[in-house]
Amino acid sequence: VGELAQVQLSGTTVQGCTAVIASGGGMWIDGPNAQAQLNEVTVQGCIASYGGGMRIENGVAFLVDVSFEDCKGAFDGGAISQNVGSTLHANRVRVARCDMSPLASSGNGKTSVGGAVRLDGSSTWIDSIFADCSSAYRVLSLKGIHTFIRVTILRCHATVGDGGGIGMVEATVTMLDSRIADSSSPVHGACVFAGQIFDASSGQSYG
């Protein structure tokens, strides 16, 4: 999706797409006026360095009844990687079994963040679920402004550092009528982490 483009996908499956040394395995959205609307779409088994399922560089994305399944990234955003300045509206979205893997020579699973999503812009999530996702740090990695309403986060695990469920750094997050359960981290914030980034190898906090 380019600067002036608008795209609508309905009743569509995006499967097995790969951008190993680039962004947006399943799809890439960029441009200040770019707009993507997805309705009843499944993104499955897609791979990229940033945003295995989707990379939102700029613009606006509307997701309704969308599933991200078994998507992987090398650095951030197993399902979705979102850049500063972009906007995401997600209603009845399911993110399952997404994680961060060293997929290319430049990938590093030991420092990855956002096994489910890395969101650095603004987003609103309603009636959505994240399940069985993992990364080294902050499985839902959040910066910017984000709202979660009736959202469930289950069995998500940070394997090296903080934030097994949600990890917030320089973020304003509102969560209403939601549930985070059965998640883990070897250090801080097994379910919710809010604060500085913690480096488990050096024992130092930063950010």
Side-chain angles (χ1 to χ4, degrees):
V1 181
E3 180 175 351
L4 301 177
Q6 296 186 356
V7 63
Q8 295 183 348
L9 299 179
S10 182
T12 301
T13 297
V14 178
Q15 186 174 32
C17 301
T18 302
V20 173
I21 59 172
S23 300
M27 57 193 72
W28 181 71
I29 301 164
D30 191 16
N33 298 311
Q35 186 176 107
Q37 298 186 19
L38 280 63
N39 186 20
E40 296 183 351
V41 171
T42 297
V43 182
Q44 187 176 61
C46 293
I47 297 170
S49 287
Y50 301 90
M54 171 185 288
R55 169 68 174 179
I56 309 170
E57 193 75 25
N58 284 292
V60 182
F62 298 89
L63 313 181
V64 179
D65 295 318
V66 173
S67 291
F68 294 87
E69 303 170 357
D70 303 300
C71 293
K72 297 178 181 293
F75 293 101
D76 69 52
I80 300 172
S81 175
Q82 181 199 32
N83 194 27
V84 175
S86 63
T87 302
L88 170 63
H89 301 279
N91 195 348
R92 298 189 300 276
V93 171
R94 176 175 174 263
V95 177
R97 302 180 305 279
C98 294
D99 61 36
M100 307 305 302
S101 301
L103 303 169
S105 59
S106 58
N108 189 345
K110 294 182 179 180
T111 60
S112 63
V113 299
V117 293
R118 179 170 184 168
L119 306 174
D120 287 358
S122 63
S123 72
T124 301
W125 297 76
I126 300 173
D127 295 324
S128 297
I129 184 168
F130 300 84
D132 303 302
C133 297
S134 66
S135 55
Y137 299 83
R138 302 187 305 283
V139 180
L140 278 73
S141 180
L142 307 178
K143 290 185 179 181
I145 301 174
H146 308 280
T147 300
F148 296 86
I149 301 172
R150 296 185 300 276
V151 169
T152 300
I153 301 168
L154 295 176
R155 300 181 301 277
C156 290
H157 305 288
T159 59
V160 176
D162 51 64
I166 285 182
M168 297 169 270
V169 179
E170 299 175 4
T172 300
V173 176
T174 301
M175 179 170 277
L176 303 173
D177 301 324
S178 297
R179 179 176 180 239
I180 306 172
D182 303 323
S183 298
S184 69
S185 164
V187 285
H188 308 308
C191 285
V192 177
F193 172 85
Q196 293 181 315
I197 299 170
F198 179 75
D199 185 343
S201 62
S202 67
Q204 299 297 314
S205 294
Y206 61 96

